[in-house]
Amino acid sequence: MNISEPIRLLLFLAGIMAFVGFNAAYLVWVERKGAARFQRRPGPTEVGFAGLLQPIADALKLLSKQVIVPPTSDAILFRLAPVLVMSPALMCLAVIPFGETLVARNINIGLVMVFAFGSINVMAIMLGGWASRNKYAVISAARVVSQDVAYEIPMLLVVITLLMVTGTMDLNQIVRQQAGWFWHWNLFKLTANPLMPVTFVIFYICMLAETNRAPFDMAEAESELVAGAFTEYAGMGFGVFFMAEYANIVVGCSVATVLFLGGWQSPIGVWSGPWWFLLKMYFLVFSVIWIRWTFPRTQFYGLLNLSWKILIPVSLFTLVLSSIMLKLF
Amino acid sequence: MSIPSFIPHEKMSDETFVLNLGPQHPATHGVLRVKLTMDGEYIARAEPVPGYIHRMHEKMGENRTYAQFLPNTSRIDYLSAMHYTHAFVGAVERAARITVPPRAEYVRVITSELNRISSHLVWFGAFLLDLGGFTPLLYAFDDREKILDLLEGITGSRLTYCYYRFGGLYNDVDADFLKGTRDFTAYMRPRLDMYRALVTDNIILRKRLESIGPISAEMCRKYGATGPVIRGSGVAYDVRRIEPYSVYPEFQFDIPVYPEGDCMARYLVRMEEIVQSLRIIDQALDQLPEGPVMAEKVPRVIKLPPGDYCYAVEAARGRFAVRIVSDNKDIPYRVKLRAPSFSNLSLYEEASQGMMLPDALALMGSLDLVIPDIDR
Amino acid sequence: MSVSLEELIARLSRLCPPEASPASSEGPAPAESPAAPAVALAPAPAVTNGCRLVDYAAKGYHLDAIVPPDKVVEAARLLDEAGFGLDAVTGVDWLAQEQMEVVYDYFHPSASWRVAVRCRLPRQTPEVATISTVFPGANWHERETHDFFGIQFVGHPDLSPFLLPEDADYHPLRKDFVA
């Protein structure tokens, strides 16, 4: 591997973009196929083998549609929002270690970068909703902001707990610490903090809420707000929001895998590699899809009360517990 | 910090905006428009604006014969067509003093109850869809499909049946239908247990429905709300029991009543009603007498003696009553169709005040509206 | 029921003047004697005020109270006190008799009793007080009746077209309505 750094970076970025694009397209297929199986129906079957070409057909259809910008909307922000919603997902993936050396840019504050860019997604949806100047979209935008502010706090508290255990923000370093059998994963580091599984559950719930996935899909809530912030978007404008949703799920699940499930480390101690990372990540992605097609939507105030009354106190408690354990042992 | 699910009207701010929910909106299940005056996400006033699919069935009734009007009745509430035909047929039979043979009455009960189950299954799926749960819809439609197949076998249509005729039925049921119905009741009970385990006991669903959208028994009475709405408010009002018609007095069944008056109570009432309908069907199949399914001496042209005649049935959504005013001609002088959804929706403005938008939609879903039934 | 049936009949009867005397000042009842209804031209049974039990099996309701128009609200209040609920409000256009009939159907949530309260209005000026003050549910039913028959419900909060288009100025269930 004797290629110069700029070319390597360029290749990696192209790879990440392809990865995100491929995932966004084929997670839609997985979601549709999975939902169909949960609902005892075949799902897409017509386009290609087992409907495998369906995402491409969908993309072609969306691309061929006119991008309508409503005359009353704020045209610049309206066009900016889909761009803004997609780019942070790409940025975040640049620091995620897919394998020991398979990382676009290994920086020592990778975790900070992920969360810094991760919250831009919220702003993008808010902008989209606000710029549409549609009442449903504005309600949705207001919901997204209050929801994500509420869930950012327990998520970061949990991450701080984890940082106390790992002592580093370098994502690759965090993965290396979890080498060996699966009980070395941060998820099972009970000696460092007996509540580690709880922190994972909190992280997972917050990730669902941050990515606006059911049962916390307040932003879209199609039976209440038509399509929420995306109501006025047509064609690929809508398509980009749609892809960004999956891209953000991939990012969220990747971070969860790296932080709690040992990243590319093998659970049995041998044959570590990127395949383990992908396996774990896709398992989490599948669970996200699974949850969506199983549960009804929560109430909006129920959602906020869950965050402020349960998740934040519990995550604060784990934080305190962690620091006590750190001091004692 | 706690976000209330409800704020009273006097605490609302003056900065409200109008949100048009409908006539095309996923939650209104048709072309109902609700003009919402909102304070943020709280509803200051919800004013339903029906009429988008008004077809003036009552006028149609005044210019065609009784037999010609009969198919109209199944198009009012397309989900419980059997009950609606039953009410109209019943009113004419009452006025013309036609006695329906017992076998026909039993088959009417069986098909009516099957129709009630299929209607409740549609509601179950659609209601969960309103709450953001997609999957139950497909399961409910799967079960409903079996009922539609059964009814299609004997009536020839899948939704807008015109099976009941003045004096009896269009045709007799066959062995396939009887066996299929038996199989269906045996199949449906475990399915309901599954729904209970998967859906009813789900904590998210319970949190979304419990103590949401309370409707008092007094309010039901003042607004004339009937059916599962009034039974979910603790009043055991069921036309089948209180003004018995057909052969309902011969069956053992309970009237499910839940006193809470919230969305969960209405949900549970309907789920329980499916069980009771299965009970009635089983009993009716056991007791089904032999004999003709059409009364003898039903005149070809029906002329009712002057006067007004009422007939009420318990449709899936509540009390459906037909009032025919006759002037001794072969066409009715006036047909009044008293639709349950109309009265059930009329309390929405009062009941939804101060609620949050998602809860108000849960309340609307729990009323089980069929828009053509409101607009007629 | 919170009041006994006999009590209810007595109270309702008090609203309707006795049959022997001429009907109320509005005079909705035809002047001819009740024994000889004019069948051919006026097909409706002769209308006299009064509260009478009818055969449920033949009619589908138990109690038929024909009251003068100014007693409609009082009748509604009476039935409300007796625990009845409002079933429907509707009209009938008696073109031959130059009258409009308003029918109020009541049901009882726990007793097997159905009451129809009716009143006759002159067809040229069909006006009757609203009962939506007693039964809020009557609001929609009266609006619908206004749509279809053009009957004015005095004191009703909003009689704008309800099921008909918002610019409708016709009343389709009137017998002289031509589409």
Side-chain angles (χ1 to χ4, degrees):
Chain A
M1 297 283 269
N2 246 342
I3 39 175
S4 63
E5 182 66 12
I7 295 175
R8 195 190 71 92
L9 255 184
L10 217 62
L11 282 176
F12 260 104
L13 287 182
I16 284 171
M17 283 171 94
F19 180 73
V20 168
F22 177 81
N23 267 294
Y26 275 90
L27 284 180
V28 177
W29 179 85
V30 170
E31 172 129 51
R32 288 177 66 175
K33 216 57 181 170
R37 292 301 176 199
F38 296 137
Q39 297 171 348
R40 317 203 317 165
R41 57 190 172 87
T45 54
E46 289 297 315
V47 192
F49 175 72
L52 273 172
L53 296 179
Q54 186 70 47
I56 296 166
D58 285 350
L60 284 177
K61 191 197 88 173
L62 285 174
L63 279 172
S64 64
K65 295 226 166 195
Q66 185 191 358
V67 177
I68 301 165
V69 181
T72 52
S73 69
D74 188 325
I76 298 170
L77 291 183
F78 188 83
R79 288 193 176 91
L80 184 66
V83 182
L84 212 54
V85 78
M86 197 69 188
S87 41
L90 298 170
M91 299 281 220
C92 290
L93 279 176
V95 294
I96 300 277
F98 288 82
E100 187 149 21
T101 51
L102 199 62
V103 50
R105 197 90 175 115
N106 195 14
I107 49 177
N108 58 0
I109 50 162
L111 198 55
V112 174
M113 175 163 161
V114 166
F115 284 98
F117 280 103
S119 34
I120 292 179
N121 168 32
V122 181
M123 202 176 77
I125 297 181
M126 189 203 82
L127 274 185
W130 175 258
S132 302
R133 210 168 284 184
N134 173 309
K135 284 168 189 166
Y136 289 111
V138 171
I139 292 179
S140 162
R143 280 185 179 190
V144 167
V145 172
S146 43
Q147 172 182 341
D148 286 33
V149 166
Y151 277 84
E152 199 90 339
I153 298 167
M155 193 175 203
L156 289 176
L157 284 174
V158 162
V159 170
I160 293 171
T161 310
L162 195 95
L163 279 181
M164 287 181 164
V165 175
T166 59
T168 174
M169 285 198 211
D170 185 333
L171 290 172
N172 224 348
Q173 196 63 37
I174 292 175
V175 175
R176 273 195 207 102
Q177 286 174 356
Q178 304 177 60
W181 286 80
F182 61 86
W183 52 80
H184 290 113
W185 292 356
N186 282 338
L187 175 61
F188 300 114
K189 273 203 180 132
L190 303 182
T191 49
N193 182 350
L195 285 179
M196 223 51 192
V198 177
T199 59
F200 175 70
V201 171
I202 295 177
F203 185 88
Y204 187 78
I205 292 175
C206 293
M207 185 199 75
L208 281 182
E210 293 264 307
T211 49
N212 293 314
R213 283 291 290 193
F216 306 116
D217 54 343
M218 293 300 133
E220 205 171 339
E222 60 288 297
S223 60
E224 299 151 18
L225 300 180
V226 190
F230 323 133
T231 309
E232 295 289 351
Y233 281 91
M236 214 48 205
F238 177 77
V240 170
F241 272 115
F242 203 63
M243 282 167 68
E245 183 180 330
Y246 291 94
N248 281 314
I249 294 169
V250 169
V251 171
C253 291
S254 302
V255 174
T257 309
V258 167
L259 293 186
F260 290 94
L261 301 179
W264 40 265
Q265 300 282 3
S266 157
I268 48 171
V270 284
W271 303 307
S272 295
W275 44 88
W276 284 113
F277 175 84
L278 292 178
L279 195 71
K280 292 167 189 170
M281 186 197 79
Y282 283 126
F283 174 74
L284 284 182
V285 170
F286 182 73
S287 71
V288 169
I289 291 173
W290 194 356
I291 284 174
R292 166 156 184 201
W293 297 101
T294 308
F295 293 120
R297 190 177 300 118
T298 54
Q299 285 143 323
F300 182 56
Y301 53 86
L303 175 92
L304 294 186
N305 287 342
L306 173 74
S307 170
W308 293 107
K309 283 180 169 172
I310 298 170
L311 294 185
I312 291 182
V314 171
S315 52
L316 269 176
F317 178 71
T318 57
L319 181 67
V320 171
L321 189 73
S322 222
S323 38
I324 291 173
M325 298 282 286
L326 207 66
K327 204 76 189 160
L328 288 182
F329 306 108
Chain B
M1 178 172 166
S2 173
I3 291 97
S5 65
F6 174 89
I7 49 173
H9 199 264
E10 56 274 12
K11 284 199 180 163
M12 290 206 176
S13 75
D14 299 330
E15 285 181 49
T16 55
F17 63 95
V18 174
L19 184 69
N20 269 307
L21 194 81
Q24 283 90 27
H25 186 277
T28 55
H29 303 293
V31 283
L32 174 68
R33 172 173 160 222
V34 185
K35 221 168 111 186
L36 299 170
T37 310
M38 310 272 293
D39 176 12
E41 271 215 51
Y42 294 94
I43 289 173
R45 181 163 183 237
E47 188 193 345
V49 186
Y52 283 86
I53 124 159
H54 176 54
R55 292 155 295 173
M56 199 80 241
H57 276 296
E58 297 181 10
K59 185 75 182 175
M60 284 190 241
E62 288 180 13
N63 51 35
R64 57 194 66 190
T65 65
Y66 292 96
Q68 282 171 334
F69 184 64
L70 187 57
N72 279 48
T73 52
S74 61
R75 275 134 182 101
I76 299 164
D77 178 350
Y78 49 83
L79 290 179
S80 66
M82 287 283 184
H83 307 118
Y84 280 56
T85 346
H86 198 166
F88 186 69
V89 163
V92 171
E93 283 161 358
R94 174 169 277 162
R97 294 180 189 278
I98 301 169
T99 316
V100 181
R103 185 177 172 87
E105 290 282 24
Y106 275 81
V107 174
R108 280 184 185 182
V109 167
I110 294 171
T111 47
S112 277
E113 295 306 314
L114 279 176
N115 202 190
R116 189 185 314 280
I117 296 173
S118 77
S119 171
H120 281 351
L121 284 173
V122 174
W123 161 81
F124 171 70
F127 185 45
L128 266 293
L129 203 60
D130 282 355
L131 302 178
F134 298 84
T135 306
L137 177 83
L138 277 294
Y139 281 74
F141 267 58
D142 202 10
D143 296 342
R144 173 174 176 261
E145 200 65 18
K146 294 194 185 334
I147 300 179
L148 295 193
D149 286 346
L150 284 173
L151 291 179
E152 187 185 12
I154 53 166
T155 67
S157 43
R158 290 174 69 79
L159 209 57
T160 49
Y161 317 106
C162 189
Y163 183 52
Y164 305 163
R165 298 291 158 89
F166 308 118
L169 304 170
Y170 164 62
N171 60 0
D172 198 356
V173 292
D174 52 12
D176 284 352
F177 174 78
L178 296 177
K179 180 170 183 312
T181 311
R182 283 235 184 256
D183 292 348
F184 174 76
T185 58
Y187 157 87
M188 196 61 208
R189 287 201 172 87
R191 295 284 287 190
L192 288 170
D193 293 339
M194 186 183 81
Y195 292 152
R196 172 164 279 278
L198 284 181
V199 181
T200 314
D201 289 341
N202 182 313
I203 180 156
I204 297 178
L205 184 86
R206 293 218 163 235
K207 289 235 172 200
R208 273 217 72 170
L209 297 183
E210 274 168 3
S211 76
I212 296 300
I215 297 172
S216 67
E218 180 69 4
M219 200 160 149
C220 288
R221 183 175 72 82
K222 293 265 189 184
Y223 281 93
T226 48
V229 179
I230 196 169
R231 290 196 284 277
S233 303
V235 182
Y237 178 78
D238 189 316
V239 182
R240 290 175 292 178
R241 191 50 68 70
I242 226 151
E243 290 172 42
Y245 58 97
S246 194
V247 282
Y248 278 107
E250 309 194 1
F251 302 116
Q252 303 258 318
F253 61 98
D254 301 328
I255 299 172
V257 171
Y258 286 83
E260 294 87 359
D262 54 6
C263 292
M264 195 70 204
R266 290 186 282 280
Y267 175 93
L268 291 172
V269 163
R270 290 200 181 88
M271 296 312 273
E272 186 67 28
E273 267 182 36
I274 298 180
V275 180
Q276 297 303 329
S277 291
L278 291 173
R279 256 180 91 185
I280 297 175
I281 293 170
D282 275 342
Q283 293 173 49
L285 286 171
D286 288 339
Q287 301 170 17
L288 184 66
E290 291 299 319
V293 292
M294 198 68 195
E296 292 163 23
K297 286 190 285 187
V298 177
R300 283 181 68 90
V301 177
I302 292 178
K303 280 188 187 175
L304 302 186
D308 55 342
Y309 308 94
C310 293
Y311 199 89
V313 296
E314 182 68 24
R317 264 147 278 277
R319 173 201 179 85
F320 176 69
V322 171
R323 171 184 278 272
I324 296 176
V325 180
S326 165
D327 60 348
N328 205 15
K329 289 211 188 79
D330 55 350
I331 58 171
Y333 189 75
R334 167 98 176 90
V335 183
K336 163 71 184 168
L337 307 162
R338 189 270 180 202
S341 293
F342 186 88
S343 296
N344 290 359
L345 180 66
S346 68
L347 55 71
Y348 187 71
E349 180 168 348
E350 191 178 324
S352 67
Q353 220 169 57
M355 290 171 82
M356 276 188 117
L357 179 63
D359 290 343
L361 293 177
L363 168 66
M364 190 191 277
S366 77
L367 293 177
D368 190 10
L369 303 172
V370 163
I371 312 306
D373 188 31
I374 300 166
D375 291 353
R376 281 161 292 140
Chain C
M1 268 195 283
S2 50
V3 280
S4 76
L5 185 65
E6 291 73 26
E7 177 74 17
L8 180 72
I9 296 175
R11 284 195 198 169
L12 275 174
S13 303
R14 238 170 281 149
L15 294 181
C16 329
E19 292 192 23
S21 71
S24 68
S25 53
E26 316 264 332
E32 62 262 44
S33 73
V39 180
L41 271 176
V47 184
T48 42
N49 289 337
C51 175
R52 51 185 85 79
L53 283 166
V54 293
D55 179 14
Y56 177 81
K59 286 287 204 179
Y61 52 97
H62 299 91
L63 204 57
D64 184 12
I66 302 175
V67 300
D70 54 343
K71 293 284 176 13
V72 163
V73 183
E74 221 167 308
R77 204 164 282 134
L78 257 176
L79 289 159
D80 181 31
E81 281 162 19
F84 278 82
L86 181 79
D87 201 18
V89 179
T90 189
V92 184
D93 180 15
W94 295 109
L95 185 64
Q97 296 168 344
E98 283 292 303
Q99 281 180 338
M100 285 276 186
E101 183 175 344
V102 186
V103 187
Y104 303 83
D105 277 312
Y106 295 92
F107 71 99
H108 198 281
S110 53
S112 176
W113 272 94
R114 296 248 301 122
V115 177
V117 175
R118 303 196 270 170
C119 75
R120 291 277 179 133
L121 311 170
R123 199 167 179 281
Q124 299 310 319
T125 53
E127 275 184 12
V128 68
T130 175
I131 63 161
S132 60
T133 45
V134 185
F135 287 100
N139 184 325
W140 281 23
H141 289 286
E142 287 179 350
R143 252 178 102 179
E144 184 202 292
T145 310
H146 173 259
D147 269 17
F148 291 172
F149 294 94
I151 295 169
Q152 294 292 332
F153 290 91
V154 180
H156 189 282
D158 176 19
L159 279 178
S160 58
F162 188 52
L163 293 180
L164 297 184
E166 52 205 14
D167 56 349
D169 53 356
Y170 43 82
H171 304 294
L173 278 185
R174 287 193 171 202
K175 287 286 173 187
D176 52 2
F177 170 77
V178 187

